[in-house]
Amino acid sequence: MGEIYQIFGSDAAQMAYQLLERMGLNLNSKLKVGIKPNLVLAKPSISGATTDPQLVAGVIKYLQHQGVKEIVLLEGAWVGAETKQAVKVCGYEQLMAEYGIQFYDLKEDQFTKCYSGDLEIKVCRRPLEVDFLINLPVLKAHCQTKLTCALKNLKGCIPDSEKRRFHSLGLHQPIAHLNKILKSDLIIVDGIIGDLTFEEGGNPVQMNRVLAGSDPVLIDSYVTQLLGYQIEEVPYISIADRLGVGSSDLTKAEVINLNQTTTGDKLELTIGADKVEALYQYITEKEACSACVGSLIHALQRISESSGIPQDLELFIGQGFKGKSLAGIGVGSCTNNCENNIGGCPPTAREIVDRLKQLW
Ligand code: SF4
């Protein structure tokens, strides 16, 4: 059975450390460990685009406490962006100085021609050379592939020419095959702030959660539900499953929650969050947890992308509505006295989408 560990909160460093402790990660101190965040472009993590450096700090602290000496940071930003600029703007220079970590810009790396079946893929050498690869993607929706998380994050480990070719090949096949060649040994998903629609951020959604596991296919399958999609809507997941990269069978997954959701630490997400703001007009919120509101925002976006949202829709959410009998639709188990309720604590965006469609 595949395990997915989940923790809620906003102290990224502490959350990463606690997850690794709970997972019992115990690496030989002689291993060379590679850390691959998502620094797709030069925008800080609060934009929803990039991995929170504090999440990486928590991982490094844990590894260094275990005696691991060689830890390297690996990234190649997307075509058109400079990785070094992303490293700087996203707060990673300070992190590397503090922990004595070496950084490799994969845009300057050499590559090796690798094969998965008949498909040749050029892969940067540095990621292939590490003994243990830790993949730290951001939980984001994506305009072309719908989801970008664990499997797609490895696209930063190929040269720019190959990134362009991946697009000409339709993304799904090559992303799955790349993961057959380059294995993520551990995945830690930054779901504290992700994006509603785009890889480059700009519509940040605070969900205050971090997930971890060792199967990138299972992790991606699980997070499709958190964004309101179905696994079949992201073809590279089932292709990766067929290739033996991992399992997309969520019925065999065990989700281990380290704590409960929290109502605190709401951030002012002011970086061009117009789409998110527009969706808030349908929500009446009182003391709601960020994970719950995040699920609802993603659900509303998915509905607006398909059938559209009825203008008179009003949804109640939050602990402030516990025990209140309201005429309308309540989201989350706190609002189970509402005329109609979508249960769960927190419900996934997918559960909200399905139930809202039933109610309409
Ligand atoms: S159902 Fe209530 S307690 Fe649970 S996540 Fe939602 S707001 Fe928080």
Side-chain angles (χ1 to χ4, degrees):
M1 178 174 280
E3 287 149 350
I4 297 170
Y5 293 82
Q6 180 165 240
I7 188 166
F8 296 96
S10 56
D11 184 339
Q14 196 190 27
M15 289 159 85
Y17 201 100
Q18 277 180 258
L19 279 168
L20 295 177
E21 258 185 342
R22 177 62 191 272
M23 294 173 87
L25 183 73
N26 189 7
L27 295 185
N28 185 317
S29 61
K30 294 197 179 93
L31 291 186
K32 180 173 181 173
V33 177
I35 291 185
K36 164 65 178 81
N38 183 333
L39 303 178
V40 62
L41 77 175
K43 278 189 183 175
S45 62
I46 198 164
S47 71
T50 53
T51 306
D52 186 333
Q54 284 308 308
L55 195 68
V56 177
V59 173
I60 295 171
K61 258 190 224 172
Y62 182 89
L63 295 174
Q64 290 187 339
H65 282 177
Q66 284 206 326
V68 177
K69 292 188 181 52
E70 201 173 357
I71 304 170
V72 294
L73 188 76
L74 306 162
E75 178 60 306
W78 72 1
V79 176
E82 285 181 29
T83 320
K84 289 191 184 72
Q85 182 66 6
V87 163
K88 186 176 176 184
V89 169
C90 298
Y92 281 76
E93 281 186 342
Q94 202 183 329
L95 178 90
M96 290 185 292
E98 189 175 344
Y99 294 98
I101 300 302
Q102 175 98 35
F103 161 63
Y104 291 107
D105 181 350
L106 300 183
K107 284 180 188 260
E108 296 171 0
D109 198 10
Q110 297 184 318
F111 63 80
T112 301
K113 285 182 184 171
C114 302
Y115 293 87
S116 169
D118 292 337
L119 188 65
E120 179 195 289
I121 299 178
K122 297 185 184 90
V123 182
C124 296
R125 287 218 181 140
R126 297 277 182 195
L128 290 169
E129 285 168 2
V130 298
D131 301 308
F132 193 87
L133 184 63
I134 305 180
N135 179 354
L136 289 113
V138 181
L139 176 52
K140 293 183 276 189
H142 187 270
C143 55
Q144 289 164 297
T145 56
K146 301 223 181 318
L147 167 76
T148 170
C149 194
L151 293 164
K152 192 170 168 299
N153 193 36
L154 292 195
K155 199 163 154 272
C157 296
I158 55 174
D160 275 4
S161 57
E162 206 64 344
K163 289 181 191 131
R164 290 191 197 95
R165 193 171 72 98
F166 268 37
H167 283 270
S168 71
L169 295 172
L171 287 172
H172 293 282
Q173 286 285 350
I175 286 171
H177 283 274
L178 172 61
N179 280 269
K180 181 73 181 170
I181 294 165
L182 184 61
K183 182 175 182 286
S184 298
D185 296 292
L186 172 66
I187 303 102
I188 302 175
V189 180
D190 181 352
I192 297 175
I193 301 170
D195 199 80
L196 185 68
T197 45
F198 296 116
E199 185 174 14
E200 65 264 42
N203 285 287
V205 181
Q206 186 175 9
M207 293 184 87
N208 277 4
R209 67 202 321 158
V210 175
L211 300 129
S214 55
D215 180 343
V217 182
L218 197 68
I219 291 266
D220 274 10
S221 303
Y222 183 68
V223 301
T224 55
Q225 322 285 302
L226 301 183
L227 296 191
Y229 289 117
Q230 286 169 332
I231 296 171
E232 305 77 59
E233 292 181 85
V234 188
Y236 65 71
I237 294 178
S238 27
I239 301 170
D241 182 323
R242 284 198 296 276
L243 289 171
V245 177
S247 168
S248 60
D249 186 355
L250 289 178
T251 62
K252 296 201 178 112
E254 185 190 2
V255 180
I256 300 163
N257 285 317
L258 272 63
N259 62 3
Q260 302 286 306
T261 52
T262 162
T263 53
D265 302 317
K266 285 212 177 67
L267 297 168
E268 276 295 315
L269 300 177
T270 53
I271 305 175
D274 299 355
K275 279 192 185 159
V276 177
E277 290 284 311
L279 296 172
Y280 261 103
Q281 68 178 294
Y282 304 102
I283 302 173
T284 304
E285 182 224 330
K286 216 173 180 186
E287 298 161 36
C289 302
S290 299
C292 218
V293 178
S295 289
L296 181 52
I297 291 286
H298 275 291
L300 289 173
Q301 175 63 19
R302 303 294 92 87
I303 291 168
S304 75
E305 287 164 1
S306 53
S307 52
I309 303 172
Q311 275 314 305
D312 58 352
L313 180 69
E314 186 175 13
L315 299 161
F316 299 97
I317 186 168
Q319 298 181 43
F321 293 119
K322 265 186 189 165
K324 301 252 166 49
S325 306
L326 300 164
I329 304 171
V331 176
S333 53
C334 288
T335 57
N336 59 9
N337 277 15
C338 285
E339 190 183 4
N340 290 293
N341 173 249
I342 301 166
C345 180
T348 66
R350 189 67 234 163
E351 287 164 344
I352 298 171
V353 169
D354 290 344
R355 182 79 176 111
L356 282 177
K357 283 187 175 170
Q358 274 176 8
L359 288 170
W360 296 334

